[in-house]
Amino acid sequence: FIPSGKCVTEVNIFEGDLEGYIQIEVEGATAKDVKAFVPLDWFGIEVTDDKRHDNYSLSKFGCKEFFV
């Protein structure tokens, strides 16, 4: 967990079949806090609305396509 202003970023580092996949979640007390959050320089692409990155899809289909 990394404090970032009014939010906290959670870095998820996967192992096993998902090894090499890293996901960052931004948590805030309010939706306004999260919306105002400015991603850090080392963050990758935004995948919030990409269903391939949700827990169900990752567990069922993996993430190999993301390493092309």
Side-chain angles (χ1 to χ4, degrees):
F1 295 94
I2 304 168
S4 302
K6 292 185 176 183
C7 295
V8 172
T9 56
E10 179 180 333
V11 180
N12 300 313
I13 301 172
F14 292 81
E15 297 178 347
D17 291 342
L18 297 173
E19 186 169 351
Y21 181 77
I22 299 172
Q23 188 181 73
I24 299 168
E25 296 180 50
V26 177
E27 305 284 344
T30 68
K32 184 178 177 182
D33 292 342
V34 174
K35 188 170 181 147
F37 179 80
V38 177
L40 304 174
D41 292 341
W42 52 271
F43 280 26
I45 60 170
E46 171 64 52
V47 298
T48 298
D49 296 324
D50 186 339
K51 297 299 180 196
R52 297 175 302 167
H53 294 270
D54 67 23
N55 288 337
Y56 173 79
S57 292
L58 288 171
S59 66
K60 185 160 178 97
F61 306 112
C63 62
K64 299 296 184 214
E65 68 183 279
F66 306 132
F67 299 118
V68 176

